[in-house]
Amino acid sequence: MKKTLLRELPSVDELLRNERLREASSLFSTPIVTEAARSALDLVRKEIISGQREDLSAEEINSAVLSAVSEILRPRVTRIINATGTILHTNIGRALLSREAADAVRLASENNVNLEFDIESGERGERDSLVEDLLKRLTGAEAACVVNNNAAAILVTLNTLAEGKEVIISRGELIEIGASFRLPEIIRKSGCILKEVGTTNRTHRKDYKEALTGGSALIFKAHTSNYRITGFTAEVGLRDLVDIARERGVLVVEDLGSGSLIDLSVYGLPAEPVVSERIGAGADIVTFSGDKLLGGPQSGLIAGKREIVDRIRKNPLKRALRADKLTLSALEATLRLYLNKDSLNLKLPTLKFMTRSVEEIEAAALKAAEILKTGLGSSFSINVEDGESVVGAGSLPGHSLPTKVIAMTHRTEKPEKIFAAFLHASPPILGRVNRERFLLDLRTVECPEDVMPLNFRF
Ligand SMILES: *Cc1c(COP(=O)(O)O)cnc(C)c1O
């Protein structure tokens, strides 16, 4: 039986002579249809061998080929509705760009722009100059430059300033961010010698002083973005580190992680380190991300002393890690929004989401809950309750923002099944499961209608 079926399977050539597939070939190019035919035949062959398939119809095989074609052609980047309440969610692309930044990206992607070209003189320019004035104005630094992300900013900074030399860092600051960024590994990859001082919970001035030798290049301070050390603790502040460094003729570099350009406490949010304050406190170089609290494109910003930034700019690694025109355009438009503090929280999505009032979120949640009740039927129990959102990406750790969430349960099925069904809708809707309920947080969703899944299969 199996053998007969296998023998009846058409060859790829025979399949491609079929009229429906010939049509597909003219639409999608022969190599793609051929590849799809091969994979569809493989699949059918496996089904026959495993006993899952006991008959063969030409129609079914054709449809299998056509669905293999659409699988090959399916775009891989998919919009996801972020109903997690996590504003900067690294796995789904962190900060949303403002309309202004998105327009700037579009302009730069469809046109030639003055990326490295000085229109005034008609001569070659410097790409960082597109954003350097804004960065200087917003951070108080003498100079600034941009690379691909903050990890790259740390890599090129350390490599420039401390290759083959010691970098002194507290054991309390040897951070891991996400799964792939570990500060000790970046320091070693920069060609520097990592010299840990102090203990996990306590590091003192004398620890730094005793560690500094003629082979030391700099003291490195890292913002412990995604955790807090509390209890019996001691940390040496930036000003003290700068004093020690000046005395001993070494530099101070600080990795701020998120690094806010504004004081968030103005909005009633917990204070994150503000870049201009760290520059003001004497850090020689400060590095931070463009797509965390700043609310711009993925990028790594390096701000500090003119002479040092110039040295970093000349490092061939800077060339290897440089930002492209799309990033620089988005960054410039984002930074420009910071020039008007009054409209910033209306225009910058990251800040807009962080400062949304509970009342506004509740109104959106109630509206969405009604739509869901009508759309999903009476097997679901749907309520609006108090909840907590977080900023994410290691920003404002340990702090949650009060919110209202839609909490859903099903008469018979587990919340994980509701989670999966929402995620497999188109577009996918990402919620979360908490205490046996499926939760949707509208803080990060623009339109309440967006959380009603289309093509919902349950
Ligand atoms: C997020 C973070 C980084 C890494 O920044 P990327 O822009 O993701 O490369 C480095 N250091 C700290 C303290 C961070 O919070």
Side-chain angles (χ1 to χ4, degrees), residues 62 73 97 99 102 155 158 163 183 197 206 261 280 297 330 353 369 380 383 427 432-433:
N62 287 348
L73 296 177
L97 291 185
R99 169 59 46 82
L155 183 76
L158 292 182
E163 190 174 20
L183 194 49
V197 298
K206 73 169 184 351
L261 291 178
F353 293 152
F380 291 86
N383 295 299
R432 63 196 155 98
V433 173

Side-chain angles (χ1 to χ4, degrees), residues 153-401:
I154 299 167
L155 183 76
V156 67
T157 299
L158 292 182
N159 178 265
T160 308
L161 306 179
E163 190 174 20
K165 296 200 172 144
E166 292 164 358
V167 168
I168 317 291
I169 180 168
S170 161
R171 290 199 167 85
E173 296 171 8
L174 288 171
I175 51 176
E176 174 178 306
I177 310 281
S180 54
F181 176 89
R182 299 180 123 195
L183 194 49
E185 288 169 2
I186 295 275
I187 294 177
R188 289 195 193 98
K189 281 286 176 198
S190 311
C192 309
I193 303 158
L194 169 68
K195 196 164 185 185
E196 305 170 23
V197 298
T199 60
T200 307
N201 56 327
R202 290 171 69 82
T203 304
H204 307 279
R205 290 172 56 100
K206 73 169 184 351
D207 295 323
Y208 287 98
K209 285 184 168 171
E210 284 168 15
L212 283 165
T213 67
S216 308
L218 59 90
I219 297 176
F220 192 89
K221 188 159 185 62
H223 179 51
T224 54
S225 296
N226 48 2
Y227 65 98
R228 284 279 175 269
I229 297 179
T230 57
F232 186 55
T233 64
E235 173 193 2
V236 184
L238 183 61
R239 269 178 206 284
D240 283 342
L241 288 182
V242 169
D243 286 345
I244 297 170
R246 297 270 151 80
E247 229 169 74
R248 304 290 290 270
V250 297
L251 301 171
V252 175
V253 171
E254 181 165 43
D255 165 23
L256 278 186
S258 235
S260 186
L261 291 178
I262 51 167
D263 178 6
L264 292 173
S265 62
V266 172
Y267 300 99
L269 296 162
E272 268 278 305
V274 180
V275 180
S276 58
E277 285 170 9
R278 314 308 278 181
I279 296 285
D284 293 291
I285 289 289
V286 169
T287 75
F288 52 105
S289 290
D291 58 347
K292 291 186 179 174
L293 283 177
L294 197 149
Q298 180 191 300
S299 47
L301 282 58
I302 302 172
K305 302 269 159 65
R306 153 84 35 213
E307 177 265 330
I308 300 175
V309 173
D310 281 346
R311 274 166 66 198
I312 292 171
R313 241 197 280 275
K314 292 198 189 98
N315 187 333
L317 263 185
K318 163 70 169 68
R319 167 64 181 79
L321 301 169
R322 74 183 181 187
D324 75 327
K325 66 171 179 172
L326 304 184
T327 301
L328 288 166
S329 310
L331 185 60
E332 192 217 1
T334 306
L335 294 173
R336 201 176 281 291
L337 295 179
Y338 279 86
L339 297 179
N340 184 352
K341 302 272 189 303
D342 295 336
S343 59
L344 187 63
N345 66 335
L346 304 175
K347 294 193 163 171
L348 194 70
T350 302
L351 192 59
K352 185 165 79 183
F353 293 152
M354 279 167 67
T355 55
R356 260 183 115 179
S357 72
V358 179
E359 292 73 31
E360 193 189 328
I361 300 170
E362 182 175 29
L366 288 169
K367 186 163 177 206
E370 282 315 307
I371 299 171
L372 287 165
K373 278 180 197 164
T374 313
L376 300 181
S378 59
S379 319
F380 291 86
S381 148
I382 299 173
N383 295 299
V384 173
E385 318 180 342
D386 289 336
E388 293 180 339
S389 329
V390 295
V391 177
S395 310
L396 277 55
H399 182 82
S400 59
L401 307 168

